[in-house]
């Protein structure tokens, strides 16, 4: 089989893995003659689905011995199979890297023969890159669950980031849809990597210790293949960030690739809006000092599809607003819809020497159309502000936005969190549109 | 320092030394002009300006004084500010220097001042473009030389070269900036520039086309059709970058 056909098959098989970041390596201490890493990560291209291409994302092989129901590479599927050689992957990576097509390599693999053999193939590939080619660039590699601890550790010293995909948020779903996978084996390498990183950070050394997974680890969960609520997914993500110190949790809207009675029908649209809301919640956890239970709760377990989680929280806690931007703390500023970490920082800088006015906020990067309902400045609010959460909700959503959201909402009505009377809201919207032009 | 704001209009040749001469004039006379023009911007102006001759020795003196008096981050801010694309940058930079002389703080913390905010925004646009180019530059081998051409909006090339010098420390690299007719040459990590240069007459080789074809195959393979969203692609990767990328050829 020629190389371009292999690329076609094995990139195609790897495309459902979301992770593509090349960030997180602050000071690259690896030995080598070619390549560098950027702390902020660099995107090298964008495909027409709007996703970034930063790494050469490949499966080493797609000939899998497992039969996970949701996976395109399950052994019972009749799809073209291919396997790279370690040398091929290394050469291709260097060819693309020298021309600045990519920031590094993302190497995953189906399970070929057994987990240890698969891990050894990955190690062999990485060794060629690091030692023969002198490659100092970014490498993200999969830790194969169930593989020997020594192999995982060896991979960890060769790679910049490692990941183990949780895939399904609960043990029951895993048992049902991925019968070959052991839920305990999934978390074992995660724990091992976390412990090893901690252990190495505590060793007092005169020289810098060898880089062990310097960009940390990440994981991925499939959204919409199993019945878990948004609340349980956000809770798991929060746990992963706290317990295992993960750098990223990715969410992947399930795209039906297999006909299976246990899964959504092949014609089902992927729940992209739900995935989007989960990413918004994920950002709230990581950069906005929110906790999972503030975002959703047991009795309201799913996202409001009409409002983003932050605006949703603000409307439900309207007694805490309006917040005065001249005197509020950084944490308080972060809670205002329309203000992010950067604009909050800008506000802190600007108000140090100058008295702010509401009109200055736009220049500092605040999204006024969202923030205006929640802020005051030196005691002054936006003129005409009505102190009624329901009015704010309808102001936050334009009727066009509402129509768009209705179209992309691929979930059933029962799954939605009803924050306000949807029936009444829709009637009002219809009434309004009657008078439009 | 008390500075008088006048309604004068000054003009200089647009060089960095010329700008430093302006700084010397403004601070020695203790007057700031209302508008500072260069031959490029003077075309659009209806008013008569007074020409300030560039004096290299004065400029050199001014530069030493500034590096001595200001903290190094602020000196860097002023140098970067001079290379950004803001139209009124020269006038804003005078304000910036005045603030930097009076305050020990970072200039970027004075965002409340309109001149600093305008400069900061323009710098953000410049560095934003530099960051995007770090990913969107596409090299091809011409013999053993890596060559690429770009058409940036801002003066990005000098900020871009150190990144590639560090990334490919053993290679010889050429990057040609079509907009500013500037050729950057990186030889084993050492950077040089040739101004007002013509594009080098290189043509793509056969072996390069195979690798480019493999890259396009890869991009096609990792696209998920069910998630098609060209608007997002457009916002992340605007069309002005695509002409020089093999991904879209």
């Amino acid at each position: 089989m020629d190389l371009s056909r292999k690329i076609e098959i094995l990139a195609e098989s790897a495309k459902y893995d979301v992770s593509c970041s090349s960030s997180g390596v602050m000071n690259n201490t690896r030995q080598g003659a070619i390549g560098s890493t950027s702390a902020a990560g660099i995107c090298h291209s964008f495909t027409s689905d709007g996703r970034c291409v930063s790494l050469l994302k490949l499966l080493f092989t797609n000939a899998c011995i497992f039969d996970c129901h949701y996976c395109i590479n399950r052994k019972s599927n009749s799809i073209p199979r291919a396997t790279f050689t370690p040398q091929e992957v290394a050469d291709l990576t260097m060819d693309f890297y020298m021309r600045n097509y990519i920031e590094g390599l993302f190497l995953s693999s189906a399970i070929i023969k057994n987990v240890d053999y698969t891990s050894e193939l990955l190690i062999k590939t990485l060794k060629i890159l690091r030692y023969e080619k002198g490659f100092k660039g970014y490498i993200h590699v999969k830790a194969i669950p169930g593989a020997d601890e020594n192999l995982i550790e060896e991979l960890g010293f060769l790679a910049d980031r490692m990941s183990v995909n949780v895939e399904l948020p609960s043990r029951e779903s895993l048992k049902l849809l991925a019968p070959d996978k052991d839920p305990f084996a999934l978390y074992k390498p995660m724990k091992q990597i976390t412990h090893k990183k901690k252990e190495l950070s505590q060793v007092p050394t005169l020289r810098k210790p060898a880089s062990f997974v310097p960009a940390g680890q990440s994981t991925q969960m499939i959204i919409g293949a199993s019945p878990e609520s948004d609340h349980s997914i956000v809770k798991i993500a929060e746990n992963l960030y706290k317990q295992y110190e993960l750098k990223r949790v990715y969410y992947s809207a399930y795209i039906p690739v297999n006909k299976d009675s246990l899964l959504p029908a092949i014609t089902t649209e992927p729940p992209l809006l739900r995935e989007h809301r989960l990413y918004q919640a994920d950002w709230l956890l990581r950069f906005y000092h929110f906790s999972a239970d503030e975002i959703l709760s047991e009795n309201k377990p799913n996202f409001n599809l009409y409002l983003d989680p932050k605006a949703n929280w603000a409307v439900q806690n309207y007694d805490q607003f309006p917040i005065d931007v001249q005197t509020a703390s950084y944490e308080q500023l972060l809670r205002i819809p329309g203000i992010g970490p950067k604009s909050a920082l800008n506000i802190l800088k600007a108000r140090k020497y100058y008295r702010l006015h509401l009109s200055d906020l736009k220049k500092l990067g605040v999204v006024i159309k969202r923030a205006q309902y929640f802020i005051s400045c030196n005691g002054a609010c936006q003129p005409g502000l009505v102190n009624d959460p329901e009015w704010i909700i309808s102001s936050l959503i334009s009727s066009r936005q509402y129509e768009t959201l209705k179209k992309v909402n691929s979930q059933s009505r029962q799954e939605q969190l009803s924050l306000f009377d949807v029936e009444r809201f829709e009637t009002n919207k219809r009434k309004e549109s009657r008078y439009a032009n | 320092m008390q500075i008088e704001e006048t309604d004068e209009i000054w003009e200089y040749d647009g060089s960095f030394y010329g700008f430093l001469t302006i700084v010397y004039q403004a601070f020695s006379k203790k007057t700031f002009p209302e508008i500072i023009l260069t031959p490029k911007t003077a075309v659009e102006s209806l008013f008569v300006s007074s020409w300030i001759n560039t004096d290299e020795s004065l400029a050199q003196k001014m530069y030493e004084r500034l590096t001595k008096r200001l903290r190094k981050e602020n000196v860097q801010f002023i140098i970067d500010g001079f290379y950004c694309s803001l139209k009124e940058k020269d006038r804003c930079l005078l304000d910036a220097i005045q603030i930097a002389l009076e305050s020990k703080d970072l200039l970027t913390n004075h965002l409340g001042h309109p001149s600093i905010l305008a400069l900061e925004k323009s710098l953000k646009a410049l560095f934003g473009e530099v960051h995007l180019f770090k990913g969107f530059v596409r090299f091809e081998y011409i013999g053993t030389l890596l060559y690429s051409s770009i058409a940036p909006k801002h003066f990005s090339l000098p900020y871009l070269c150190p990144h590639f010098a560090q990334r490919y420390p053993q290679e010889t690299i050429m990057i040609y900036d079509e907009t500013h007719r500037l050729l950057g040459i990186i030889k084993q990590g050492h950077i040089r520039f040739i101004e007002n240069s013509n594009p080098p007459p290189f043509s793509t080789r056969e072996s390069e086309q195979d690798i480019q074809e493999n890259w396009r195959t890869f991009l096609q393979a990792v696209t998920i059709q069910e998630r098609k969203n060209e608007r997002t692609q457009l916002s992340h990767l605007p069309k002005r970058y695509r002409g020089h990328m093999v991904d879209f050829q």
Side-chain angles (χ1 to χ4, degrees), chain A residues 44-45 49 97 99 103 353, chain B residues 105 138 167-168 208 224:
Chain A
H44 282 257
S45 190
D49 54 21
Y97 191 82
R99 289 161 182 80
E103 193 62 15
Y353 298 100
Chain B
D105 204 349
R138 294 284 178 264
R167 176 153 292 196
Y168 307 118
E208 287 300 293
I224 298 179

Side-chain angles (χ1 to χ4, degrees), chain B residues 88-215:
Chain B
E88 309 84 30
K89 65 176 185 208
D90 316 285
R91 185 63 191 77
C92 291
L93 283 168
L94 281 185
D95 288 339
I97 292 170
Q98 193 196 354
I99 293 169
L101 286 167
E102 286 169 2
S103 152
K104 290 270 181 289
D105 204 349
L106 290 172
L107 277 171
T108 43
N109 286 351
H110 284 265
L111 284 181
H113 193 290
S115 294
I116 306 287
L117 188 66
L119 282 169
E120 175 76 6
K121 272 201 164 154
S122 189
L123 283 178
K124 215 172 152 185
L126 166 68
F127 295 145
E129 191 184 51
V130 171
H131 181 76
L132 287 181
F133 268 120
K134 282 180 187 175
F136 297 158
V137 164
R138 294 284 178 264
F139 291 114
E140 48 188 71
Y141 270 109
I142 312 288
T144 56
L145 173 116
L146 285 169
Y147 173 72
S148 166
S149 63
I150 53 174
K153 214 192 250 181
H154 309 287
F155 197 61
S156 301
L157 189 57
Y159 292 91
L160 191 61
C161 286
H163 167 76
F164 290 116
Q166 190 203 357
R167 176 153 292 196
Y168 307 118
Q170 296 173 334
E171 308 295 317
T172 305
I173 305 165
M174 270 191 195
I175 307 174
Y176 182 69
D177 173 349
E178 291 175 359
T179 319
H180 304 89
R181 304 191 67 241
L182 183 68
L183 182 69
I185 302 168
I186 305 164
K187 212 168 183 168
Q188 281 83 43
H190 295 289
I191 305 165
R192 285 180 302 133
F193 293 103
I194 297 173
E195 289 177 343
N196 290 326
S197 132
N198 288 323
F202 293 143
S203 56
T204 308
R205 294 177 344 176
E206 197 63 35
S207 60
E208 287 300 293
Q209 280 173 351
D210 291 349
I211 286 172
Q212 291 174 6
E213 201 47 57
N214 278 345
W215 174 237

Side-chain angles (χ1 to χ4, degrees), chain A residues 74-95:
Chain A
R74 65 189 292 194
K75 69 178 179 197
S76 52
N77 262 0
S78 80
I79 54 164
R81 308 280 176 174
T83 304
F84 278 119
T85 63
Q87 192 65 45
E88 275 176 340
V89 175
D91 287 343
L92 190 64
T93 305
M94 289 314 288
D95 277 346

